[in-house]
Amino acid sequence: MQFEATEDRRMLADTLNRFLSTEYGMDVRNAAAYSAPYHAPEKWTQLCELGTLLALTSEEQGGFGGTGFDVTAVFEPLGRALCPEPALPALMAIRLLAAAGHDLEPAMSGTTTYAVAIGEMEVPYGLDGLSTTARPGGDGFRLTGRKSVVYGGHIADRVLVAAHREGSADDKPGVFAVNAKDITVSGYGLIDGGGAAELFLEDAPAELLLADGTAGLQDALDAGALALCAEAIGAMDVLFDMTLDYLKTRKQFGTPIGAFQALQHRMVDLKTEIEQARSITILAASRMGAPDQSRAVSMAKNLIGRTAQLVAEESIQLHGGIAMTWEYPGSHYAKRLVMIDHQFGDADYHLERVMAAHQVA
Amino acid sequence: MDLSYTAEETAFRGEVRAFLKARLPYEIAEKVRRHVELSKADMERWHAILNENGWLAASWPKAYGGAEWTAVQVHIFDEEAAMAYAPRIVPFGIHMLGPVLIKFGTEQQKAEILPRILSGADWWCQGYSEPGAGSDLASLKTRAVREGDHYIVNGQKTWTTLGQHANRIFCLVRTSTDGKPQQGISFLLVDLDTPGIEMRPIRLIEGGHEVNEVFFTDVQVPCSNLVGEENQGWTIAKYLLTHERTNIAGVGHSNQALEQLKALAKTQRRNGQRLIDNPLFAARLAQIEIDLEAMKITNLRMLADAQKNGAPGPESSILKIKGTVIRQAINDLARRALGPAAAPFPSEDLDPNLTIAPRDHTNTAADYFNNRKISIYGGSNEIQKNILSKTVLEL
Ligand SMILES: Cc1cc2nc3c(=O)[nH]c(=O)nc-3n(C[C@H](O)[C@H](O)[C@H](O)COP(=O)(O)OP(=O)(O)OC[C@H]3O[C@@H](n4cnc5c(N)ncnc54)[C@H](O)[C@@H]3O)c2cc1C
């Protein structure tokens, strides 16, 4: 058994951590995260040059990674820095493009910015019941529908869209590529930083990538959820340390508040839950590509959902008023940790998936 | 055991309901329903409407312009007002300073200040906390040194809620460093336009401006602005704390928030199902509902006790702890109910025509984050537990 990351991945994570801690401090982060375009394009270019996207791509596809542990090695540092750069849509796009046997060069080099549009207002999580439709038209397809809260949709050049082919016998969503200029994009900032968009497609010209996109889309969602788990681990580690440090320095009643046993036990509980969350994320990373990938990812996303919220709420509470302020970095970590549960399936959604797996087994 | 309200209480509820229906301005209720920040004018307008009816200072004696309601009547009003989406009464003048002056103030202070609270001529804010004195309030350092017929005040207050709207602040200040820290504290009234005072905004986690810090540099305050005796401030603060404790559970607001959440869960659709038909979600909702039903009775039991014994006992800490936990659980579930639609930042940049979350729920996540405060302020839940274990359990 070997729980250390490989040399290569450690080096990658170190590189990213170093870059982010020097170039992407809290002031830079907040300035980028909360005003349009809700990220820092020049920093994103630099992150790509450091190999971020190559690490998310397999060797066969021209990258040097692409496994579950590569995903976690990239996203933990991003989580530590609370980085709002669009690595998540890039990861999901790369997996979908690879599944379609498409040229990855434009995505990996960053010359084309992709977003992946699956969720809709009434289908926020998963693939069941999507209502966006594709009909044959022109020399490809025409898409009609609305995609909601598409992460990175506000800055995408090209969007990979899940849609049903009109008149097709099966009920399987296909994957189509549309150009952002052919659709209406309403972008906005998010409460925890970063940006997203509502996409309105009205007979938008589209290229078919995958006729049956079920497996590809599920894989992209799994990879996205795993990335979010790793991001949460990174953010939880930082917020926990910040809280611990505060308990040791903040004095009330003539003593550091960390001397109160009522608070000590709660910190121990947090530590315990974070270690559990780290373990399930390792498990999920190890199952990427295996038959039980989706089940393992759902287990991880459920536990992360529960733990991240606990860490966020307890950290605020244990700090007292100070962590309620915008100025204190901890508040932004807390927001991100809570809102991660709103991306690609909340704790209940993934719990249901784990429950469903019982029925099959 | 009889859980029913008396005939008079039921009649009173009807009267309150009719009043709210007739007098609560629609635009204001809409803002409350949608969790949109109220302007100063909104709050003043609502106060004026209540005051016109003699209902603004519900528990003050009639002699001072209050309604002199019983604790049960106050509870009934709060419940009805919350369900009608009435704004909460700004507590600083009405619920905090008023009762203090009525108990400890000079006749002149009462005659001058109480009518100005009722008329809205003064907006008070509360200057207790300091950067170094939160839970350990008695360690406060803001100094007031007597020079002739003035105090000279130096120091800093923080977390001053709605200070940006206020023209006056009531402060706990240090007037002596002898003996126990509690023994050297005084209760002082300060005009915010006195030279040497600077107020700076603090932005909260969700982006709103609700609290401030206030800096005092050689601020001259007339000695006649002292409430009670010099160095009696701690006694006054403790009296105020017990006063703050009735309706501390916020049952009315939780009730309203839960109704709003149920309505949301019936309209939100998720993967071909109404959210309320999802068993996991429905279970969470039902659990909160059970907790809240129990809380309503716990609250009434403590109200009945308070009515009998004159003041709420230390058991009322239970109301603060459980009441805030339930409130926060409702905020949490409302946020979850929206799924990804909870995520957009409710800022001016967001196109108002772009419906993502339902109209009444664009501020739901912001509200969830903002309401993390309720288990921190007014004596944090940890401090409440310390009080309970010490005074009730005698541990
Ligand atoms: C939004 C907001 C509005 C506010 N409005 C006002 C206002 O208008 N006027 C005003 O004067 N104040 C106001 N406050 C201040 C509020 O009363 C304080 O935040 C509160 O008393 C806690 O103090 P603190 O923030 O300094 O936390 P600290 O006292 O530093 O506490 C930090 C943590 O340690 C815990 N802790 C402290 N002592 C103990 C102990 N003995 N045992 C176990 N745990 C302990 C606390 O519970 C908390 O979890 C407001 C605060 C907020 C957040």
Side-chain angles (χ1 to χ4, degrees):
Chain A
M1 210 117 332
Q2 158 70 311
F3 283 107
E4 306 283 299
T6 60
E7 181 70 22
D8 290 351
R9 293 198 191 104
R10 231 181 10 244
M11 274 170 55
L12 172 69
D14 286 350
T15 307
L16 292 178
N17 276 325
R18 209 167 323 116
F19 172 78
L20 290 164
S21 63
T22 53
E23 298 286 319
Y24 221 104
M26 211 52 199
D27 290 347
V28 176
R29 185 271 169 188
N30 280 354
Y34 295 111
S35 48
Y38 309 108
H39 81 122
E42 73 288 2
K43 304 278 186 219
W44 176 229
T45 306
Q46 286 172 284
L47 272 170
C48 293
E49 284 163 6
L50 291 175
T52 303
L53 296 180
L54 291 174
L56 300 175
T57 314
S58 70
E59 282 180 35
E60 307 88 84
Q61 311 288 347
F64 57 71
T67 71
F69 290 114
D70 297 301
V71 172
T72 54
V74 167
F75 279 85
E76 250 190 67
L78 295 175
R80 293 187 68 86
L82 224 52
C83 181
E85 298 305 326
L88 187 69
L91 162 71
M92 295 171 72
I94 285 170
R95 293 189 81 101
L96 272 177
L97 291 167
H102 216 271
D103 179 16
L104 292 185
E105 213 313 288
M108 273 162 50
S109 64
T111 48
T112 303
T113 303
Y114 280 88
V116 174
I118 302 171
E120 298 174 359
M121 292 187 68
E122 297 195 356
V123 187
Y125 306 135
L127 301 170
D128 292 341
L130 294 171
S131 68
T132 301
T133 56
R135 66 171 184 84
D139 48 6
F141 283 81
R142 300 267 171 179
L143 299 194
T144 299
R146 172 180 178 176
K147 293 292 177 182
S148 196
V149 196
V150 177
Y151 293 87
H154 62 304
I155 50 166
D157 306 308
R158 210 159 152 76
V159 186
L160 306 182
V161 182
H164 284 285
R165 273 170 303 140
E166 261 175 20
S168 80
D170 62 38
D171 198 24
K172 310 235 159 72
V175 179
F176 301 83
V178 300
N179 288 322
K181 63 173 176 43
D182 293 329
I183 61 179
T184 305
V185 177
S186 295
Y188 45 81
L190 301 170
I191 192 153
D192 54 331
E198 300 301 292
L199 307 184
F200 299 89
L201 301 97
E202 284 168 50
D203 229 23
E207 176 194 351
L208 178 69
L209 292 192
L210 286 168
D212 177 358
T214 319
L217 288 165
Q218 189 56 55
D219 175 68
L221 285 171
D222 287 346
L226 175 67
L228 289 169
C229 291
E231 188 187 338
I233 297 285
M236 285 195 288
D237 282 343
V238 173
L239 186 54
F240 179 84
D241 288 346
M242 206 185 284
T243 307
L244 188 61
D245 192 50
Y246 192 76
L247 292 193
K248 288 177 181 171
T249 47
R250 168 71 171 173
K251 284 193 177 150
Q252 289 289 275
F253 304 100
T255 152
I257 55 176
F260 300 125
Q261 202 162 49
L263 306 191
Q264 290 170 354
H265 284 195
R266 283 160 69 176
M267 287 302 282
V268 172
D269 287 344
L270 289 191
K271 179 76 187 155
T272 308
E273 297 304 327
I274 292 172
E275 290 314 319
Q276 284 280 91
R278 196 186 319 281
S279 295
I280 201 92
T281 304
I282 291 171
L283 176 72
S286 78
R287 303 314 298 160
M288 289 304 280
D292 61 348
Q293 162 181 318
S294 289
R295 176 170 166 273
V297 166
S298 279
M299 286 186 161
K301 189 69 168 50
N302 170 270
L303 188 48
I304 286 287
R306 291 187 274 147
T307 310
Q309 182 176 346
L310 180 77
V311 172
E313 293 181 350
E314 285 287 80
S315 295
I316 293 176
Q317 184 69 26
L318 295 176
H319 271 90
I322 187 79
M324 284 295 300
T325 66
W326 186 274
E327 199 181 337
Y328 193 75
S331 68
H332 301 281
Y333 280 86
K335 281 185 285 188
R336 180 72 195 118
L337 284 171
V338 168
M339 297 313 291
I340 277 178
D341 201 45
H342 292 248
Q343 281 178 275
F344 309 138
D346 63 10
D348 282 358
Y349 171 82
H350 287 287
L351 187 63
E352 281 177 338
R353 287 169 61 87
V354 176
M355 286 158 65
H358 289 168
Q359 312 262 308
V360 177
Chain B
M1 231 16 98
D2 181 3
L3 296 190
S4 49
Y5 287 96
T6 64
E8 294 83 54
E9 284 162 352
T10 305
F12 176 73
R13 187 182 289 279
E15 197 189 337
V16 170
R17 212 171 272 182
F19 168 80
L20 289 164
K21 196 155 179 238
R23 301 298 310 278
L24 174 62
Y26 174 77
E27 315 83 74
I28 293 183
E30 271 304 284
K31 284 192 182 178
V32 175
R33 182 205 304 282
R34 301 182 57 196
H35 308 282
V36 173
E37 201 182 319
L38 293 168
S39 68
K40 182 181 185 185
D42 291 330
M43 294 186 255
E44 286 176 333
R45 184 171 168 207
W46 180 232
H47 278 205
I49 291 168
L50 287 171
N51 193 41
E52 212 178 292
N53 211 42
W55 284 7
L56 178 56
S59 48
W60 294 10
K62 289 212 164 98
Y64 298 111
E68 214 172 312
W69 286 343
T70 64
V72 172
Q73 281 179 305
V74 172
H75 167 75
I76 290 172
F77 178 84
D78 282 355
E79 219 171 47
E80 292 297 324
M83 286 311 279
Y85 298 104
R88 249 170 292 192
I89 291 170
V90 182
F92 308 108
I94 298 294
H95 296 322
M96 297 183 179
L97 184 60
V100 160
L101 289 179
I102 289 166
K103 174 97 175 165
F104 299 96
T106 61
E107 287 313 312
Q108 195 187 348
Q109 284 170 337
K110 288 188 231 183
E112 267 175 28
I113 298 169
L114 295 177
R116 292 176 60 88
I117 294 177
L118 291 176
S119 71
D122 287 334
W123 185 306
W124 286 90
C125 59
Q126 180 189 25
Y128 279 20
S129 306
E130 298 179 3
S135 299
D136 182 14
L137 187 57
S139 70
L140 63 91
K141 289 204 175 68
T142 298
R143 279 288 280 171
V145 179
R146 205 173 183 135
E147 275 182 23
D149 53 3
H150 280 85
Y151 286 102
I152 308 296
V153 181
N154 279 286
Q156 184 194 343
K157 294 293 173 184
T158 190
W159 304 121
T160 320
T161 298
L162 299 184
Q164 70 267 35
H165 299 330
N167 61 330
R168 309 182 87 178
I169 182 168
F170 56 90
C171 293
L172 291 179
V173 292
R174 181 151 304 286
T175 37
S176 163
T177 48
D178 298 338
K180 281 180 39 181
Q182 287 83 349
Q183 288 161 358
I185 292 171
S186 297
F187 195 103
L188 197 60
L189 309 177
V190 182
D191 286 351
L192 283 168
D193 60 5
T194 319
I197 298 180
E198 192 196 342
M199 190 174 303
R200 294 186 202 152
I202 298 175
R203 197 174 179 205
L204 286 186
I205 180 167
E206 84 294 348
H209 174 200
E210 170 181 316
V211 297
N212 304 271
E213 27 183 16
V214 188
F215 297 85
F216 298 80
T217 314
D218 294 332
V219 177
Q220 286 199 20
V221 181
C223 290
S224 56
N225 283 16
L226 181 73
V227 177
E229 308 282 316
E230 194 172 276
N231 299 329
Q232 199 197 4
W234 193 251
T235 312
I236 298 176
K238 280 209 312 213
Y239 169 80
L240 186 54
L241 216 61
T242 49
H243 231 274
E244 258 185 276
R245 287 177 159 258
T246 37
N247 296 303
I248 201 170
V251 166
H253 291 279
S254 288
N255 208 30
Q256 165 250 300
L258 187 68
E259 289 307 313
Q260 214 174 8
L261 172 57
K262 278 192 208 162
L264 174 67
K266 285 180 190 156
T267 51
Q268 281 294 95
R269 293 192 69 80
R270 211 173 260 192
N271 306 79
Q273 204 180 31
R274 293 185 312 165
L275 190 55
I276 201 150
D277 297 326
N278 175 292
L280 293 182
F281 187 88
R284 287 183 188 275
L285 191 62
Q287 264 166 13
I288 295 177
E289 192 169 22
I290 293 164
D291 286 347
L292 182 56
E293 284 306 311
M295 182 87 260
K296 286 181 193 168
I297 300 297
T298 308
N299 191 44
L300 289 173
R301 283 170 56 205
M302 296 202 177
L303 265 176
D305 273 356
Q307 200 140 298
K308 218 182 298 158
N309 305 327
E315 292 85 357
S316 60
S317 283
I318 290 175
L319 300 178
K320 169 84 196 317
I321 297 167
K322 202 67 195 178
T324 54
V325 167
I326 291 172
R327 222 22 229 302
Q328 291 175 333
I330 296 170
N331 286 142
D332 169 39
L333 201 53
R335 197 198 73 243
R336 283 164 192 261
L338 293 174
F345 199 131
S347 75
E348 290 92 54
D349 301 346
L350 189 60
D351 178 355
N353 296 318
L354 193 63
T355 305
I356 308 168
R359 189 175 168 276
D360 290 353
H361 290 275
T362 51
N363 278 322
T364 294
D367 214 38
Y368 158 84
F369 287 112
N370 179 274
N371 260 344
R372 299 314 302 175
K373 72 189 173 190
I374 65 179
S375 50
I376 296 172
Y377 67 22
S380 74
N381 284 11
E382 290 72 27
I383 295 300
Q384 306 294 340
K385 287 180 188 177
N386 287 351
I387 293 172
L388 281 170
S389 49
K390 216 174 283 172
T391 59
V392 177
L393 308 184
E394 296 179 3
L395 282 170

